[in-house]
Each structure stands twice: as structure tokens, then as C-alpha cells.
Amino acid sequence: MSKQIASSKDTSINEDRRKLLKGITTAAVASAVVSGAAQATSTDVVDIKPEDKKTTGYRETQHIRDYYDTL
């Protein structure tokens, strides 16, 4: 009879341990998701200046002007 009592006690301990590990794992995953979502939403907004917009054709930039000055 003592084996049955010890066996049911071990089972409840194992179930409690499993619940604890599941809870810890769930909390770790939830915190990783929250921190990832916070990083994704906290991106910096960059204003595009008119000279930074992509245009087609020839553009004379400062380093090209410097090169022309050396000729």
C-alpha cells in the first residue's frame, strides 16, 4: 500500500514539474515574441531628401565635380 501512495505522490510531483516547465517555456517564447515585435515597430523613420531619390540618367554629384576639377 505504501508503494501506491509513493507512486501517486511521484506522479503529482512529475505533473507539477511538467506544468512548471511548460509555463517557463511559454513565458520565454512570449517574451521573445514581444521583444521581436517591439523591435519591428520601433524602426527609425528616414526622410528621403529630394537628392536621395533615385533618378534615371546622368547625375553630376560632388565626387564627379571633384574629378572634373582635377582634369
Side-chain angles (χ1 to χ4, degrees), residues 2-28:
S2 64
K3 288 185 180 181
Q4 289 178 348
I5 294 173
S7 154
S8 76
K9 184 178 180 184
D10 289 340
T11 304
S12 70
I13 291 173
N14 286 338
E15 288 177 8
D16 290 341
R17 185 177 299 154
R18 287 182 186 143
K19 288 179 184 177
L20 175 68
L21 291 174
K22 284 181 186 179
I24 290 172
T25 304
T26 303

Side-chain angles (χ1 to χ4, degrees), residues 26-40:
T26 303
V29 170
S31 66
V33 168
V34 168
S35 68
Q39 288 178 352

Side-chain angles (χ1 to χ4, degrees), residues 34-71:
V34 168
S35 68
Q39 288 178 352
T41 59
S42 68
T43 57
D44 294 332
V45 177
V46 178
D47 293 333
I48 297 176
K49 298 174 186 173
E51 66 238 12
D52 290 343
K53 290 184 182 177
K54 295 198 179 227
T55 58
T56 58
Y58 178 77
R59 292 182 301 158
E60 190 174 312
T61 58
Q62 185 60 44
H63 74 279
I64 292 180
R65 284 186 217 113
D66 293 340
Y67 173 75
Y68 288 156
D69 290 339
T70 63
L71 295 176

